[in-house]
Amino acid sequence: MAGTDLYPVAGMRFFLGGAKETQAEDFTAADFEDEIWKEVDGFETMGAAGDTAALIATDLINRGRTVKQKGVANAGQMQCNFAILAGDPGQTALIAAGAASNRNNYAVKIVGNDAPATGTDPKPSERLFVALVMGTPEQGGSANTVQMMQATLEINSNIVKVAATSGS
């Protein structure tokens, strides 16, 4: 039965592309085709991402009621944790993107763990978006944890969802 498969988060991958300008219209998968991606190794925890609407609340005196409406969409803030791997080129790029002096948006790709088991060229799903990397501070932990880095991404575009395909 289609659509009933569950996929673990384990096996998903995080990639950082180059600096990318925002645009007035929504991005499509084609806008990311020429991107050169660097995988960021040590992907440990993936944060939430996706559009929510801002609340517009108007207090109407004569009704004694607040009338609520949906406002503009905001894809939010995504926090991802990475085990620190010294010398990893993806982590080096992510740290550079997160420098306080770096004001650029960057292309981001998250590859799913849901490639079909059959087909001539199965491909997993992807999530593509543009984000500011607000910082990459190291975080502490207990004695039995590895050193970690937390990347905070302020998503500055729509999130393009590319479905997994079997290639056939």
Side-chain angles (χ1 to χ4, degrees):
M1 190 155 60
T4 59
D5 293 333
L6 299 175
Y7 299 96
V9 174
M12 294 181 77
R13 298 164 60 199
F14 184 100
F15 293 83
L16 187 69
K20 194 161 188 75
E21 294 292 325
T22 59
Q23 56 189 40
E25 62 279 350
D26 280 351
F27 282 94
T28 67
D31 293 317
F32 296 90
E33 284 178 356
D34 295 331
E35 202 62 50
I36 297 172
W37 300 104
K38 288 184 182 174
E39 183 169 6
V40 182
D41 199 2
F43 194 23
E44 192 266 346
T45 307
M46 182 173 72
D51 276 345
T52 59
L55 174 65
I56 300 171
T58 306
D59 297 331
L60 299 177
I61 297 169
N62 66 316
R63 295 185 190 177
R65 173 79 46 200
T66 300
V67 176
K68 299 175 186 177
Q69 298 171 297
K70 285 186 174 183
V72 298
N74 182 341
Q77 180 186 83
M78 180 182 204
Q79 293 187 332
C80 295
N81 295 319
F82 298 86
I84 294 174
L85 300 168
D88 175 66
Q91 286 194 10
T92 300
L94 188 62
I95 291 166
S101 60
N102 188 334
R103 306 280 192 245
N104 295 312
N105 285 282
Y106 285 83
V108 176
K109 174 171 69 171
I110 297 175
V111 176
N113 187 22
D114 56 356
T118 60
T120 57
D121 186 21
K123 293 187 179 3
S125 65
E126 295 180 349
R127 301 294 184 266
L128 304 159
F129 55 91
V130 172
L132 293 166
V133 181
M134 300 304 289
T136 55
E138 294 183 12
Q139 62 186 52
S142 65
N144 291 319
T145 59
V146 299
Q147 294 176 334
M148 300 291 290
M149 169 180 66
Q150 182 178 73
T152 301
L153 307 173
E154 287 291 344
I155 301 172
N156 225 357
S157 72
N158 61 305
I159 298 174
V160 179
K161 296 180 181 180
V162 180
T165 61
S166 62
S168 55

